[in-house]
Amino acid sequence: MYSSYGPLCTEVYELSKPVGYSTGDVEYYKERLTGREGKTLEVGCGTGRVLVPLLESGIAIEGIDYSDAMLESCRNQCHERGLSTVLYHGNMQDFSLDEMYADIIIPAGSFQLIENRREAVQALQNFYNHLQFGGRLTLDLFLDVELEVGKVSMRTWEIPPREVITLESRLIELDFLKQRTVSLLKYEKWSEGNLLQSELQRFPLCWYGNHEFKLLLESIGYTEVSISADYSYGTAPTHAGGIMTFEATKR
């Protein structure tokens, strides 16, 4: 089951993480993809935060996402910059494209949105099926170590001249056995005290241990699996709160 990214959620994403916004991932993926032969597919491309700057740098990259609102935003971002690429609509675990790719990337932990373990395995197999021989899968995983059920956070964005968007996030489920958290996100757009628009989003995230995920990749047939910490290639993870980037090859 996927979380739903509707129009208001997409607008918040554009405000909080605009195209080019980077936690180190944009630069990392640009470095790892530069000079590679063949096309790249970004799975979970969203609004184009990563895809657009990679496209601007000359990398032949296409995108796929489950959210129509996110894809429309990505198309607009490309159009505004005079960029051309192909964007697809589909789920991670069952999309079927005619293309075969030299690289498939999934930045920012988007893979963890797959709530069902069986579907997660299907997705990894699906990526494998869409890679050329010698092709490479690269994806990010993370683990939030500061978890407190019931904890509420609030963020606000002002949109001149008179609109405001608020986002309330509440952790409603923490399941160590299933390695999953679920948050409830409430988006509201206001103007001069009047509620204009609202969206509720159930937001699940699953987590994996580094050895667990490496074994999972190898069980599907991936080889040469490497794990890098915090967008420093070749640096082994040393703490649970950072980003782990997995690279694996189809042989």
Side-chain angles (χ1 to χ4, degrees):
M1 178 179 179
Y2 280 79
S3 54
S4 175
Y5 288 82
L8 191 52
C9 168
T10 299
E11 187 172 354
V12 166
Y13 199 91
E14 291 170 339
L15 291 168
S16 61
K17 299 178 180 68
V19 165
Y21 172 86
S22 178
T23 59
D25 52 356
V26 173
E27 295 81 4
Y28 181 89
Y29 280 92
K30 185 182 299 184
E31 179 182 354
R32 297 299 297 155
L33 293 171
T34 296
R36 296 276 292 174
E37 295 185 3
K39 289 184 180 180
T40 296
L41 177 69
E42 182 185 358
V43 177
C45 63
T47 62
R49 178 185 69 85
V50 175
L51 182 145
V52 169
L54 295 185
L55 199 58
E56 288 178 319
S57 70
I59 293 168
I61 184 169
E62 299 175 349
I64 187 168
D65 203 282
Y66 181 69
S67 166
D68 289 323
M70 288 280 190
L71 284 171
E72 183 62 24
S73 174
C74 189
R75 289 190 188 95
N76 291 337
Q77 298 289 350
C78 290
H79 179 73
E80 290 173 5
R81 293 164 174 79
L83 300 171
S84 178
T85 189
V86 180
L87 300 176
Y88 303 95
H89 178 272
N91 286 325
M92 294 190 194
Q93 74 273 20
D94 59 12
F95 69 82
S96 179
L97 306 179
D98 293 333
E99 294 283 350
M100 299 289 284
Y101 295 91
D103 287 273
I104 293 177
I105 66 170
I106 316 174
S110 295
F111 181 80
Q112 295 172 252
L113 295 171
I114 303 178
E115 189 172 357
N116 181 291
R117 274 299 198 271
R118 176 180 56 81
E119 291 184 350
V121 173
Q122 288 178 345
L124 292 173
Q125 182 67 62
N126 196 29
F127 305 153
Y128 189 91
N129 295 341
H130 281 83
L131 282 171
Q132 303 169 359
F133 286 102
R136 191 170 66 192
L137 171 68
T138 308
L139 60 83
D140 298 337
L141 299 179
F142 67 91
L143 172 61
D144 187 351
V145 294
E146 297 180 1
L147 300 172
E148 181 182 342
V149 175
K151 183 178 181 180
V152 178
S153 62
M154 179 74 75
R155 293 191 65 185
T156 302
W157 294 268
E158 294 185 2
I159 306 174
R162 290 181 292 274
E163 292 182 348
V164 173
I165 296 178
T166 60
L167 168 58
E168 179 184 292
S169 176
R170 182 189 302 269
L171 183 63
I172 61 173
E173 182 181 330
L174 172 57
D175 192 325
F176 285 102
L177 185 61
K178 295 181 179 179
Q179 297 176 217
R180 180 186 67 197
T181 64
V182 179
S183 298
L184 181 64
L185 309 183
K186 180 168 69 174
Y187 302 86
E188 294 181 332
K189 179 183 281 190
W190 299 82
S191 179
E192 299 180 328
N194 297 310
L195 181 62
L196 304 179
Q197 187 179 358
S198 65
E199 286 180 10
L200 287 177
Q201 181 184 22
R202 181 180 180 275
F203 190 77
L205 278 176
C206 290
W207 71 79
Y208 301 82
N210 58 349
H211 297 298
E212 171 193 10
F213 201 74
K214 182 175 185 289
L215 289 172
L216 183 56
L217 289 167
E218 290 174 341
S219 73
I220 291 169
Y222 292 96
T223 63
E224 303 172 31
V225 179
S226 67
I227 311 170
S228 301
D230 299 322
Y231 301 121
S232 176
Y233 180 71
T235 301
T238 57
H239 61 285
I243 296 289
M244 297 186 296
T245 301
F246 288 76
E247 293 189 8
T249 301
K250 176 178 179 177
R251 292 298 185 191

